[in-house]
Amino acid sequence: MSIVIHNGTHTTVAGFSQVDMPQLLCSSSYTKNANDELVFDTDEIIDGPETPVFTIMSPEGVPYDWEALEKQWQWIVETKLGAKLEETPLVVTVAPDITPEIKTQYSELALGRLKVPVFQMVSEPLAVSLSLGRNTALVIDIGAAKTTVTPIIEGTILSSAAIRSRFAGDFLDFQIHETLKKTIHGEEKEESSSSNPSFSAFCNSRTWIQEFKAYMLQVSPSRLQEMDSATVDMLGLNIPKNFLYQKRKTVSLTQKECCLITEGIFQPSVASSQFANEEGLSDIVSKVVKKAGAATTQNSSTSNVTSAEQIHTALLTNIIITGSSSLIAGLEQRIVNDLSYQFPQYKLSSFANPLVLDRKLQSWHGGVTMANLPSWDLGDWVSRKDLETTKTEENY
Ligand code: ATP
């Protein structure tokens, strides 16, 4: 029986590997209480006093507060799951591009400080694709602080072709805030006087902004500014939608205005002239496909030449769209539309888990799949003894 923990930049998901559903979903942030103890429970943070909120993971998805991560894992395993760290194998999902130094820090934390008996780090996109039964895939993960596009060919991540961008959920939080600021001017003045901006940003992001995203946001099927008014009409984009802001005020936006908020993910320059459209979602996805084609052709030995076209076909017929920000209505269709425009000669096939909860838990389920591989030697398990051996070798 192992415990699987997924530390996203926004959400942490944890549970036992034999159980279908995780036992715990909490934020990847924390506050300190009056006794200087760390508080990880999301509801407790929201209902608690206004104190600064700190994040555990960097925007790249790497821990930058190892002490807080140690305390969070301890809290998860011992307090929330009622297990003993020294007796429970631990699996954690990690970013696909972590350095050997970060890997060592993870091992030191799990095996050295927390004394778990065996530990495994699984690469998030690889775990997601294998858990969906594919060893070749183009994994598009739209999370909170980042969007990551990772090509995987026959179980191997093509790291040199993977691309990450900052246009994801947190960026949308900011866009929603900016858009509604004009509409709800009175309340905004009140909020901006908050003594703890990190606290109000945390609470807003986990309460009304989350609801706004689920009920109001949508993505237009193609570039908004290139649509003529007849198409806008036909798609019903002039129809208004209403949102009850913090049970205080009804905000009314047309569907076109809702689409404008998400357009920045595809064309960042719509949000600010400081952002380049080359960092837009569909642009980075097509860049990854092309880079993967070029990288594999370069690396292939002459006897086993894989053409760029074969790689393009393999990836474009195995697009996996994941991450909670991908739940926005119309987002999957827009990616497919843009890609068909970029790759007209290829057949495209995408998969995004249709069940909201399953999509939100996809990365954790990926970790569970790796934890449950039929034999221990199939996984990349490291034991305390292995860690000590590596250390001894390093000292010589
Ligand atoms: P990352 O992938 O950056 O490490 P994470 O794994 O913690 O982060 P996810 O849980 O995949 O991130 O996504 C969190 C983001 O998804 C947040 O910005 C949240 O507001 C947003 N989100 C959650 N539910 C929805 C929804 N129904 N529609 C749109 N966005 C949503």
Side-chain angles (χ1 to χ4, degrees):
M1 180 175 72
S2 343
I3 285 178
V4 179
I5 303 180
H6 161 67
N7 284 112
T9 59
H10 182 270
T11 311
T12 293
V13 187
F16 292 104
S17 62
Q18 300 85 334
V19 187
D20 275 353
M21 281 305 203
Q23 275 75 32
L24 176 75
L25 248 117
C26 64
S27 84
S28 299
S29 305
Y30 67 94
T31 53
K32 287 183 183 163
N33 65 15
N35 303 328
D36 226 22
E37 291 155 348
L38 306 199
V39 177
F40 297 105
D41 189 289
T42 311
D43 292 338
E44 214 177 313
I45 300 176
I46 294 177
D47 297 335
E50 265 199 38
T51 43
V53 177
F54 308 97
T55 51
I56 299 177
M57 308 297 284
S58 77
E60 287 79 37
V62 172
Y64 56 15
D65 190 340
W66 290 94
E67 270 177 42
L69 189 69
E70 177 177 347
K71 294 210 166 96
Q72 195 218 34
W73 285 3
Q74 233 161 5
W75 173 74
I76 291 173
V77 175
E78 293 178 342
T79 312
K80 301 306 282 186
L81 304 182
K84 287 203 172 94
L85 279 159
E86 318 81 67
E87 292 174 5
T88 323
L90 178 66
V91 175
V92 299
T93 59
V94 295
D97 54 353
I98 56 167
T99 59
E101 290 75 30
I102 300 288
K103 272 194 180 173
T104 310
Q105 272 180 290
Y106 265 117
S107 302
E108 290 270 1
L109 169 57
L111 301 161
R113 296 215 289 281
L114 294 174
K115 307 260 181 280
V116 303
V118 274
F119 176 60
Q120 187 180 178
M121 288 167 263
V122 303
S123 170
E124 196 180 334
L126 182 63
V128 164
S129 103
L130 294 178
S131 70
L132 293 171
R134 300 170 197 227
N135 67 355
T136 292
L138 178 64
V139 183
I140 306 173
D141 181 353
I142 312 159
K146 59 185 167 45
T147 289
T148 320
V149 186
T150 316
I152 298 168
I153 300 287
E154 287 171 12
T156 304
I157 295 180
L158 301 182
S159 313
S160 62
I163 300 186
R164 185 170 48 221
S165 98
R166 61 200 146 144
F167 298 103
D170 290 350
F171 165 77
L172 289 177
D173 282 14
F174 182 74
Q175 296 308 316
I176 293 167
H177 198 265
E178 289 298 291
T179 308
L180 297 201
K181 200 162 77 176
K182 296 163 204 143
T183 332
I184 41 177
H185 193 59
E187 276 92 339
E188 198 48 46
K189 267 191 178 157
E190 214 176 277
E191 273 184 19
S192 58
S193 64
S194 154
S195 55
N196 271 302
S198 64
F199 181 81
S200 46
F202 178 89
C203 295
N204 289 340
S205 134
R206 266 109 187 141
T207 53
W208 70 268
I209 290 188
Q210 187 90 21
E211 286 163 26
F212 186 90
K213 284 180 169 179
Y215 299 115
M216 297 289 279
L217 286 191
Q218 59 186 86
V219 175
S220 82
S222 62
R223 287 179 172 229
L224 260 187
Q225 71 273 35
E226 287 166 12
M227 266 183 210
D228 56 30
S229 57
T231 315
V232 169
D233 246 357
M234 195 183 70
L235 293 172
L237 297 184
N238 288 322
I239 298 170
K241 269 178 157 179
N242 294 325
F243 177 72
L244 186 60
Y245 167 75
Q246 294 201 323
K247 297 192 181 130
R248 277 188 271 170
K249 192 168 184 171
T250 303
V251 178
S252 188
L253 294 176
T254 63
Q255 297 200 19
K256 187 174 174 186
E257 286 168 320
C258 295
C259 288
L260 202 58
I261 299 175
T262 55
E263 195 58 31
I265 295 252
F266 291 88
Q267 299 179 78
S269 73
V270 169
S272 160
S273 55
Q274 290 171 349
F275 300 141
N277 279 348
E278 290 81 66
E279 279 193 80
L281 181 55
S282 305
D283 282 44
I284 61 169
V285 175
S286 34
K287 222 177 281 169
V288 168
V289 175
K290 288 174 191 161
K291 276 176 85 174
T296 343
T297 337
Q298 266 170 19
N299 294 341
S300 300
S301 65
T302 37
S303 57
N304 181 22
V305 178
T306 317
S307 73
E309 282 75 22
Q310 280 172 308
I311 297 296
H312 294 173
T313 306
L315 294 176
L316 291 168
T317 47
N318 283 295
I319 303 169
I320 293 175
I321 300 174
T322 185
S324 304
S325 296
S326 72
L327 284 163
I328 300 167
L331 188 135
E332 181 184 2
Q333 192 57 51
R334 170 66 175 270
I335 296 177
V336 173
N337 291 352
D338 285 355
L339 285 181
S340 347
Y341 190 72
Q342 291 273 344
F343 297 94
Q345 68 278 41
Y346 293 94
K347 185 175 151 289
L348 262 67
S349 169
S350 65
F351 175 80
N353 211 315
L355 301 174
V356 171
L357 196 57
D358 282 357
R359 181 110 52 109
K360 288 193 174 191
L361 302 176
Q362 198 88 64
S363 298
W364 182 79
H365 277 300
V368 168
T369 305
M370 303 302 271
N372 289 342
L373 286 175
S375 140
W376 279 87
D377 43 337
L378 285 175
D380 242 340
W381 291 100
V382 191
S383 67
R384 276 202 292 259
K385 213 168 144 205
D386 296 332
L387 183 72
E388 277 153 25
T389 318
T390 324
K391 273 196 205 157
T392 324
E393 279 168 9
E394 276 168 8
N395 288 341
Y396 275 106

